[in-house]
Amino acid sequence: MSKTAKLEIDNNIYEFPIIEGTEKELGIDIKTLRGVTGGVTTIDPGYKNTGSCESAITFLDGEKGILRYRGYSIEELAEKADFLEVAYLLIFGELPTAIQLAKFDKDIKEESHVDEDMKKILDGFPKSAHPMGVLSSLTSALIAFNPGSVDVDSEEEMYNAIVKILAKFPVLAAWTMRKRKSLPLDYGDNSLGYVENLHKMMFARPNKAYEANKLINDALDKLLILHADHEQNCSTSTVRIVGSSHAGLFASLSAGISALWGPLHGGANQAVIEMLEAIKADGGDTAKYIEKAKDKNDPFRLMGFGHRVYKNFDPRAKIIKQSAEEILGDMGVEDPVLDIAKGLAKVALEDEYFVKRKLYPNVDFYSGIIYRALGIPTEMFTVMFALGRLPGWIAQWREMRLRKEPIGRPRQIYTGENYRDFVKVENR
Ligand code: ACO
């Protein structure tokens, strides 16, 4: 028998169905709540207890530290798949066959140019502009060069839009970095793989032949896979909600990039390195910063610690921590910041404040250390996150549109003034 939940308000009892997910998660379906109760709503700032949709893309269990894309464990995907395969899996639901993957790759390459006039837009930004702001604007500007909305009922149109953005986004991301470094804009090389090409577009020098490096390529590939989706987080929910107004894919993604930029979300990877650098400059006293993080009168938070959903450990952080050590070892990089990070994590993981609140290092705690070792500038870290998250955003947007979800429009409880008469300015 299906489960139900009962709610009592003023001696009236209302019954609501309980939906059960494929992993046995339960959700009270309150779609009819306002109708049957005559306008009673729910209040849940930050949506800590609210499911905004049903989704078949990503499963995570914060208590057990499980993360799966379309049923496949993040550990296995990070080890065995490449980023383009994972992108296909997330967006279309199944791992691609060799033929499907080759077509996907070819179709993306076919679209990997960006209109030359886009350079004029990039030119308008000061060199000091943060790459995330520039990336969001350029993604939005792409709409002007690719007008015409996507008919989501047409599989072909949907596919073409997806392939277009997967192709052009790395070009734009690389350009934001090259602009800051005063390097000529590069279009990459279609004979390279997706991730290698991204690296080339970021780092190729005009007067030097580009040499691909397997170690760097594998590290980047893994990082992008680990960031590829994370169900209904802040930026993904933004993409879905913007898309729910039937704004186009590129517009929805541009909004998602802005949401990701914040230091409580994707911007944390930049904030972590800045924090570790500051601790190093201050003599490396990790205990002092642990105390600051615990002090409620001090706004300082331990960046890269804590997660809305993971209350045990972040499985991505576990993989990345090991990768950071391997990559730094293989590259022969000795980074004092990694030692500070390890020291900080050790103290925090034993400290009652962090243990009690289940605050563990998250994915951003170690990713910046790898990006640094790969020579990626700090202000580009969140752009790297966006590159990884792109397939997840696309998959979630596509799912939302195909399921014909209604426009996202939360309710509120009004707590302002009751009705009052207008007073003319001379009488106030
Ligand atoms: N340092 C110190 N204390 C913390 C931290 C932290 N990093 N994170 C949470 N806390 C404390 C809070 O002060 C609060 O304490 P209280 O119960 O005594 O008031 C308690 O832990 C719960 O914190 P909330 O902010 O309510 O937890 P929430 O789920 O809303 O926030 C978040 C999660 C935003 C990630 C938070 O832990 C944080 O700000 N972390 C630092 C930023 C960060 O690393 N963000 C990246 C997230 S991962 C990602 O986006 C890919």
Side-chain angles (χ1 to χ4, degrees):
M1 226 185 60
S2 50
K3 294 181 178 129
T4 57
K6 287 197 179 79
L7 175 69
E8 188 175 335
I9 305 172
D10 293 338
N11 298 323
N12 294 316
I13 295 181
Y14 307 96
E15 203 163 328
F16 300 96
I18 293 185
I19 295 178
E20 186 169 330
T22 45
E23 291 288 342
K24 309 280 175 237
E25 292 166 303
L26 301 180
I28 306 169
D29 177 352
I30 55 156
K31 281 191 215 86
T32 58
L33 176 70
R34 287 179 55 83
V36 295
T37 58
V40 175
T41 196
T42 55
I43 275 285
D44 185 20
Y47 311 122
K48 291 191 179 195
N49 301 284
T50 298
S52 60
C53 58
E54 290 176 53
S55 177
I57 302 171
T58 289
F59 171 67
L60 72 84
D61 182 328
E63 300 301 324
K64 296 190 188 132
I66 293 174
L67 174 61
R68 294 185 203 134
Y69 299 160
R70 302 279 189 187
Y72 297 100
S73 83
I74 192 67
E75 289 80 4
E76 221 183 344
L77 289 171
E79 198 194 320
K80 298 179 186 165
D82 73 24
F83 179 62
L84 218 51
E85 270 180 293
V86 170
Y88 189 100
L89 168 72
L90 282 167
I91 298 168
F92 301 110
E94 294 295 341
L95 284 167
T97 62
I99 293 171
Q100 285 169 330
L101 187 59
K103 179 180 181 323
F104 192 45
D105 184 40
K106 184 174 155 285
D107 292 340
I108 291 173
K109 283 179 174 156
E110 216 40 57
E111 285 290 345
S112 63
H113 53 277
V114 170
D115 196 296
E116 275 290 296
D117 281 345
M118 286 284 286
K119 288 183 178 169
K120 293 185 196 145
I121 299 175
L122 181 66
D123 245 5
F125 285 96
K127 211 178 273 172
S128 58
H130 194 286
M132 281 297 275
V134 179
L135 184 60
S136 172
S137 307
L138 291 182
T139 306
S140 207
L142 263 189
I143 306 164
F145 294 88
N146 299 271
S149 57
V150 185
D151 172 4
V152 295
D153 292 322
S154 155
E155 227 173 271
E156 196 191 338
E157 277 195 31
M158 189 76 119
Y159 180 83
N160 290 343
I162 289 168
V163 156
K164 233 178 217 174
I165 193 67
L166 281 168
K168 298 182 197 311
F169 197 68
V171 181
L172 301 181
W175 281 6
T176 65
M177 179 172 129
R178 295 186 79 86
K179 157 95 184 178
R180 258 177 101 94
K181 296 192 137 198
S182 299
L183 285 167
L185 302 181
D186 192 277
Y187 276 107
D189 176 349
N190 275 355
S191 71
L192 300 174
Y194 190 85
V195 175
E196 257 176 1
N197 197 27
L198 164 68
H199 188 257
K200 176 183 187 285
M201 286 191 286
M202 288 171 74
F203 288 99
R205 296 269 155 179
N207 44 0
K208 210 171 152 201
Y210 172 77
E211 275 177 46
N213 177 318
K214 186 164 169 9
L215 190 73
I216 292 179
N217 191 59
D218 290 351
L220 270 180
D221 209 64
K222 193 177 275 192
L223 279 164
L224 295 176
I225 290 173
L226 292 176
H227 285 89
D229 196 45
H230 214 235
E231 50 120 299
Q232 308 312 317
N233 55 82
C234 177
S235 56
T236 301
S237 299
T238 302
V239 169
R240 282 185 89 121
I241 208 163
V242 172
S244 77
S245 75
H246 294 192
L249 174 60
F250 301 171
S252 309
L253 293 172
S254 167
I257 297 164
S258 298
L260 186 72
W261 190 3
L264 296 191
H265 190 14
N269 56 15
Q270 174 173 344
V272 168
I273 287 292
E274 286 165 357
M275 175 190 76
L276 295 172
E277 288 282 11
I279 297 176
K280 189 179 100 187
D282 193 23
D285 184 356
T286 48
K288 175 175 160 189
Y289 285 84
I290 295 279
E291 287 314 309
K292 270 167 77 66
K294 286 155 60 174
D295 182 356
K296 292 287 169 205
N297 297 317
D298 190 326
F300 176 78
R301 274 193 167 196
L302 210 52
M303 298 315 288
F305 259 75
H307 197 276
R308 170 59 62 79
V309 193
Y310 293 120
K311 301 298 175 197
N312 183 336
F313 67 93
D314 180 340
R316 304 165 301 172
K318 215 171 169 181
I319 303 171
I320 283 194
K321 177 172 182 268
Q322 199 189 341
S323 280
E325 283 171 11
E326 282 167 14
I327 291 159
L328 266 59
D330 288 348
M331 293 180 86
V333 176
E334 278 183 28
D335 192 342
V337 152
L338 179 62
D339 295 331
I340 291 178
K342 282 200 230 162
L344 207 57
K346 187 172 182 302
V347 182
L349 289 171
E350 288 165 1
D351 189 290
E352 200 209 327
Y353 173 95
F354 292 88
V355 174
K356 204 173 122 206
R357 290 169 180 75
K358 300 190 173 173
L359 300 169
Y360 296 86
N362 58 46
V363 64
D364 292 325
F365 193 67
Y366 298 104
S367 62
I369 292 164
I370 306 183
Y371 292 139
R372 238 160 86 103
L374 302 183
I376 297 171
T378 313
E379 68 279 359
M380 279 297 288
F381 290 2
T382 317
V383 170
M384 300 311 293
F385 191 154
L387 280 156
R389 185 53 56 88
L390 181 66
W393 286 334
I394 296 171
Q396 301 272 354
W397 174 86
R398 180 176 177 271
E399 180 182 73
M400 181 272 307
R401 291 301 312 270
L402 289 183
R403 290 185 178 202
K404 311 250 183 276
E405 283 181 15
I407 187 167
R409 203 303 188 185
R411 290 279 176 166
Q412 64 165 22
I413 296 291
Y414 175 71
T415 58
E417 297 288 343
N418 291 118
Y419 175 81
R420 37 184 180 164
D421 285 326
F422 180 79
V423 182
K424 283 190 167 173
V425 68
E426 56 272 26
N427 299 331
R428 280 177 223 157

